[in-house]
Amino acid sequence: MTGAEAPARELRRRYTAADLGVFTRDEARRFVPRGDGDPNHDVVLAWELLYRLEPELYDRLASVERLHPGVTGWLPCQVDRIAEVGAGTGRLTMELIARGQHVVAVEPALPLRRILRRKLAAAEHGDRVRVVRGFFDQLPLPDDFADLVVACSAFTPSASHGGDAGLAEMERVCRPGGCVAIIWPNHLAWLTARGYRHVSFPGPMSVEFSSYREAVELAEIFYPKAAGAVRQRGEREVPFEVLGINPPRDLAFKVLVE
């Protein structure tokens, strides 16, 4: 049972091995290289299925997990070209439009690209952002292309979601003197070992659900260990610490040598 058929199930139990057929051949090679996989025991695989089977559900989550304003405020502005990798449904993309003349949003999952294009068209920004298919380790961009290359809540040390090959690709398409930034990183030590510096912005942060009902529904799916606490609070705004995750207040960056 998948998708809307199981609205209350936590993420890793929403899908089964039968759902792996949604992947393209290239995606299957990356996410299930042995030809098998069980999203009930592999939460990373469950996320990839979410992007393709229930992209609107993912967009609901991304829309309420707002970034610390200091993060977007720190990013370089008035630059010519920006490349965003793993753009998803536009959590960061819409912010980048005001910071560069041209933005290329790279996203591997077709359903997420469709949502992003729809948002851009609704905001009348379709001419400012080019949305393209691509993976971290094969960016469809030339050398020294962008002044800023950025990934938000997408890059990990795993080879299928970045790794050394993905980091090298991001640095390849960044011009000398430009900046590569990883927002909301999950392995800071891994990045600092590769020459990246860390910036963090203080202050309380909460996930701002549209209603208490939505808070409970999404907590049951994405933060099952905190679902009871969310119900007890009875509020639509839930601090990140209650959910048991680090808030999106950090970034790691490297300015490439000219």
Side-chain angles (χ1 to χ4, degrees), residues 97-168:
I97 293 169
R99 311 194 78 79
Q101 293 298 313
H102 307 281
V103 179
V104 177
V106 183
E107 168 54 48
L110 176 58
L112 301 189
R113 294 200 303 273
R114 286 173 172 161
I115 293 177
L116 177 53
R117 289 190 178 110
R118 188 170 72 228
K119 288 183 178 181
L120 291 167
E124 299 184 348
H125 290 316
D127 59 335
R128 295 284 305 281
V129 181
R130 181 161 59 97
V131 182
V132 300
R133 175 182 180 273
F135 295 89
F136 273 105
D137 62 344
Q138 289 183 331
L139 298 179
L141 298 170
D143 295 355
D144 305 337
F145 171 80
D147 304 281
L148 170 65
V149 183
V150 60
C152 176
S153 185
F155 185 94
T156 78
S158 168
S160 60
H161 295 89
D164 282 308
L167 206 59

Side-chain angles (χ1 to χ4, degrees), residues 43-246:
V43 70
V44 175
L45 183 57
W47 278 98
E48 293 297 336
L49 291 170
L50 169 72
Y51 302 149
R52 291 157 179 84
L53 293 171
E54 298 183 278
E56 299 286 353
L57 175 59
Y58 166 72
D59 186 49
R60 287 173 60 196
L61 176 69
S63 297
V64 299
E65 290 182 338
R66 296 185 177 91
L67 302 175
H68 192 295
V71 170
T72 51
W74 181 93
L75 294 173
C77 61
Q78 297 183 334
V79 299
D80 184 19
R81 294 175 177 172
I82 298 174
E84 182 187 7
V85 189
T89 59
R91 185 207 310 262
L92 178 64
T93 315
M94 309 304 285
E95 301 282 350
L96 294 175
I97 293 169
R99 311 194 78 79
Q101 293 298 313
H102 307 281
V103 179
V104 177
V106 183
E107 168 54 48
L110 176 58
L112 301 189
R113 294 200 303 273
R114 286 173 172 161
I115 293 177
L116 177 53
R117 289 190 178 110
R118 188 170 72 228
K119 288 183 178 181
L120 291 167
E124 299 184 348
H125 290 316
D127 59 335
R128 295 284 305 281
V129 181
R130 181 161 59 97
V131 182
V132 300
R133 175 182 180 273
F135 295 89
F136 273 105
D137 62 344
Q138 289 183 331
L139 298 179
L141 298 170
D143 295 355
D144 305 337
F145 171 80
D147 304 281
L148 170 65
V149 183
V150 60
C152 176
S153 185
F155 185 94
T156 78
S158 168
S160 60
H161 295 89
D164 282 308
L167 206 59
E169 271 289 88
M170 292 181 71
E171 294 181 10
R172 176 186 67 79
V173 304
C174 186
R175 69 165 180 81
C179 179
V180 177
I182 310 295
I183 295 174
W184 207 1
N186 64 348
H187 288 81
L188 274 170
W190 188 90
L191 288 164
T192 56
R194 286 154 178 79
Y196 281 70
R197 298 169 63 186
H198 173 219
V199 179
S200 185
F201 299 90
M205 293 188 68
S206 295
V207 178
E208 301 175 16
F209 299 98
S210 62
S211 65
Y212 167 66
R213 180 177 179 179
E214 182 181 61
V216 172
E217 178 188 350
L218 294 186
E220 289 177 345
I221 298 170
F222 297 105
Y223 321 106
K225 293 181 179 179
V230 172
R231 290 191 202 93
Q232 289 179 356
R233 286 180 61 84
E235 300 175 0
R236 72 174 188 86
E237 293 192 16
V238 183
F240 275 91
E241 55 263 31
V242 172
L243 299 173
I245 60 174
N246 293 326

